[in-house]
């Protein structure tokens, strides 16, 4: 497929990557310089900033993202609302850094996932899979005056894929340069793994969601400790492991044993927390510090168990590199290191990649591939029938 908008791969381009995750705590904006394509992509993070949502915005978003708490009118309004506040954040970010919209070649925007259903269900008379990310890219483009590429997941799902995870393509682009078997672990609301082979063969890349990342930890902390998150794992560290709760999690949470390709999100673990986990905790009167300790350990366990079961037998690794909000939780990373034993667990910062903005950078790279006409899904990862160009290009 020919490159779009006459953006040849060898031209250095200034781009923005935007990421708003399942925690709904704010928008990450990464200003990057991008040159090249595929494995030859070279990039530099020039500046990154998180624009936090207000407490009211976060609370309302979390409420609206719960299944059953929204309708078509709300979703339509929220789609424009998010694009509007993101546009203001983008323009403020550019002004702060002495840049004009005309200097930015494109924006890669993930959007805010409101629903992700990779497994089909009958709708009217046929089985349907679907995914929905809000923060309309066309509205964002018109309000910023910058070309926006967004809505990345739907093309993969149209070809029978799960539409997720997509960051493994970026993991392959970035980490294959180190020429060793590596495991990239991203811990956002959901945790996912990417295996990158030493020889850089994209056909050997394996990746999938493996279970909860911060979602159970954060939700419990918000309800029972009245804090937005467990900073550095200090609350969890005060507790001890509850064998009763761990056994319940291992028995009840069936996602971790599902064979790849697989993906999940808030629509699964949000319901799991409210309908099952919270009732079990309250019924058994478990100390809240012990609960948080156990939820944190369980997050680490899901990561280890998925690596042990699905990656290690085929492609053992010597290093694991962690990113996402969970990488800032020292107690969680200590638990991961303990489970991984002799496999060194490192932070992306040690590989020259800013942990705080990895996903935002990743979607700028995916957008670059879209504009160059390059597929950026990995079929064996998502389960799609073929590789395909992702995203919708929305001119200003």
């Amino acid at each position: 497929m020919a490159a779009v908008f006459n953006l040849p791969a060898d031209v250095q381009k200034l781009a923005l990557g935007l990421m708003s995750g399942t925690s709904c705590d704010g928008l990450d904006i990464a200003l990057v310089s991008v040159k090249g394509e595929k494995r030859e992509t070279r990039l530099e993070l020039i500046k990154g900033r998180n624009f936090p949502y207000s407490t009211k915005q976060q609370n309302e978003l979390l409420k609206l993202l719960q299944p059953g708490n929204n309708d078509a009118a709300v979703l339509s309004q929220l789609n424009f609302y998010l694009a509007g506040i993101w546009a203001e954040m983008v323009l403020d970010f550019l002004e702060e850094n002495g840049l004009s919209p005309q200097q930015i070649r494109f924006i890669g925007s993930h959007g805010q996932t409101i629903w992700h259903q990779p497994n089909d269900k009958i709708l009217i008379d046929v089985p349907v899979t679907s995914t929905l990310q809000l923060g309309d890219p066309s509205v964002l483009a018109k309000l910023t005056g910058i070309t926006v590429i967004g809505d990345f997941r739907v093309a993969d799902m149209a070809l029978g894929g799960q539409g997720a995870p997509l960051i493994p393509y970026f993991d392959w682009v970035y980490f294959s340069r180190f020429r060793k078997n590596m495991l990239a672990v991203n811990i956002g609301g959901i945790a996912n793994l990417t295996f990158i082979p030493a020889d850089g063969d994209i056909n050997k890349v394996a990746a999938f969601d493996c279970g909860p990342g911060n979602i159970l930890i954060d939700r419990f902390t918000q309800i029972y400790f009245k804090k937005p998150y467990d900073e550095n794992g200090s609350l969890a560290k005060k507790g001890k492991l509850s064998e009763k709760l761990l056994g319940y999690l291992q028995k009840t949470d069936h996602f971790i044993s599902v064979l790849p390709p697989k993906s999940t999100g808030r629509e699964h673990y949000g319901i799991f927390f409210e309908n099952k986990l919270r009732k079990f905790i309250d019924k058994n009167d478990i100390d809240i510090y012990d609960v948080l300790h156990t939820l944190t350990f369980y997050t680490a366990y899901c990561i280890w168990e998925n690596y042990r079961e699905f990656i290690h037998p085929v492609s053992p690794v010597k290093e694991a590199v962690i990113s996402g909000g969970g990488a800032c939780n020292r107690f969680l990373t200590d638990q991961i290191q303990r489970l991984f034993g002799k496999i060194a667990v490192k932070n992306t910062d040690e590989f020259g990649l800013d942990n705080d903005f990895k996903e935002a950078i990743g979607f700028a790279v995916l957008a670059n591939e879209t504009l160059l006409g390059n597929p950026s899904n990995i079929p064996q990862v998502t389960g799609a029938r073929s590789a395909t160009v992702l995203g919708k290009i929305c001119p200003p």
Side-chain angles (χ1 to χ4, degrees):
M1 182 176 175
V4 183
F5 290 160
N6 299 314
L7 294 179
D10 60 352
V11 170
Q12 198 86 15
K13 302 175 279 277
L14 281 182
L16 296 178
L18 310 185
M19 182 67 199
S20 181
T22 54
S23 299
C24 296
D25 54 358
L27 181 72
D28 289 334
I29 302 181
L31 172 65
V32 296
S33 172
V34 185
K35 184 178 182 180
E37 59 184 327
K38 303 176 185 177
R39 280 189 72 193
E40 303 307 314
T41 301
R42 293 295 174 262
L43 59 95
E44 176 188 0
L45 175 65
I46 299 171
K47 186 69 178 289
R49 183 183 163 185
N50 173 266
F51 283 78
Y53 299 142
S54 68
T55 301
K56 180 178 181 179
Q57 286 173 323
Q58 183 181 27
N59 289 340
E60 288 300 312
L61 283 172
L62 288 171
K63 186 189 302 180
L64 291 171
L65 291 176
Q66 292 296 322
N69 286 355
N70 46 57
D71 56 25
V74 170
L75 296 182
S76 178
Q77 291 288 86
L78 190 57
N79 192 32
F80 276 65
Y81 174 81
L82 288 171
I85 64 172
W86 293 348
E88 293 178 7
M89 293 170 179
V90 165
L91 295 175
D92 287 346
F93 177 81
L94 293 179
E95 184 176 359
E96 289 172 4
N97 291 283
L99 294 168
S100 69
Q102 291 72 32
Q103 291 173 276
I104 306 301
R105 300 300 292 272
F106 60 86
I107 294 172
S109 176
H110 172 266
Q112 180 67 59
T113 298
I114 185 84
W115 187 256
H116 184 69
Q117 187 175 308
N119 300 310
D120 62 56
K121 291 186 178 181
I122 297 294
L123 178 66
I124 304 177
D125 54 2
V126 295
V128 177
T129 63
S130 66
T131 188
L132 182 61
Q133 283 73 44
L134 300 185
D136 188 85
S138 185
V139 175
L140 186 58
K142 300 303 177 185
L143 296 180
T144 59
I146 304 169
T147 295
V148 176
I149 301 89
D151 223 1
F152 289 93
R153 300 189 186 278
V154 294
D156 181 85
M157 293 188 76
L159 294 174
Q162 299 247 328
L166 296 182
I167 286 296
Y169 184 88
F170 171 71
D171 289 332
W172 169 72
V173 166
Y174 192 86
F175 291 109
S176 61
R177 73 189 66 183
F178 297 103
R179 301 190 180 281
K180 50 186 168 184
N181 282 3
M182 296 182 67
L183 187 71
V185 182
N186 187 71
I187 310 174
I190 302 300
N192 56 65
L193 308 177
T194 304
F195 166 72
I196 305 99
D199 63 7
D201 183 352
I202 195 171
N203 296 307
K204 296 178 184 176
V205 171
F208 46 87
D209 288 349
C210 57
N214 302 312
I215 187 167
L216 300 181
I217 298 169
D218 287 354
R219 192 70 185 126
F220 186 83
T221 304
Q222 290 157 9
I223 293 173
Y224 291 85
F225 288 94
K226 309 302 180 186
K227 295 178 180 291
Y229 60 94
D230 183 12
E231 186 173 1
N232 216 25
S234 59
L235 297 172
K237 193 174 182 179
K238 294 179 180 179
K240 60 183 183 297
L241 189 69
S242 166
E243 295 290 349
K244 179 183 287 189
L245 177 56
L246 179 61
Y248 176 79
L249 288 164
Q250 292 170 329
K251 180 180 178 181
T252 311
D253 181 12
H254 303 297
F255 181 79
I256 66 169
S257 60
V258 172
L259 293 172
K262 58 178 179 174
S263 60
T264 189
R266 179 173 292 279
E267 60 286 330
H268 171 74
Y269 279 104
I271 293 173
F272 176 78
F273 181 89
E274 294 296 337
N275 293 353
K276 294 183 179 180
L277 183 57
R278 191 171 177 181
K279 292 178 180 178
F280 180 86
I281 292 167
D282 292 341
K283 180 180 178 180
N284 287 274
D285 193 28
I286 304 171
D287 179 84
I288 59 174
Y289 289 98
D290 292 352
V291 171
L292 198 53
H293 181 109
T294 305
L295 292 178
T296 305
F297 173 80
Y298 182 68
T299 297
Y301 167 81
C302 289
I303 294 167
W304 161 249
E305 183 65 13
N306 274 267
Y307 166 72
R308 185 193 67 79
E309 183 72 21
F310 302 122
I311 294 178
H312 178 77
V314 179
S315 306
V317 303
K318 292 185 177 181
E319 286 185 333
V321 54
I322 301 182
S323 61
C328 302
N329 183 327
R330 179 61 185 272
F331 181 69
L332 174 58
T333 58
D334 284 348
Q335 297 304 302
I336 294 171
Q337 181 63 83
R338 183 164 70 86
L339 289 167
F340 273 75
K342 294 182 180 180
I343 299 173
V345 176
K346 300 180 179 180
N347 192 287
T348 57
D349 293 340
E350 298 179 58
F351 293 85
L353 179 62
D354 191 313
N355 167 63
D356 292 333
F357 298 100
K358 178 192 170 185
E359 287 192 293
I361 296 168
F363 280 98
V365 170
L366 290 178
N368 183 57
E369 299 290 15
T370 299
L371 289 173
L372 293 171
N374 295 327
S376 54
N377 65 331
I378 303 178
Q380 74 269 18
V381 166
T382 65
R385 290 188 292 274
S386 63
T388 189
V389 177
L390 302 179
K392 298 170 183 174
I393 301 169
C394 301

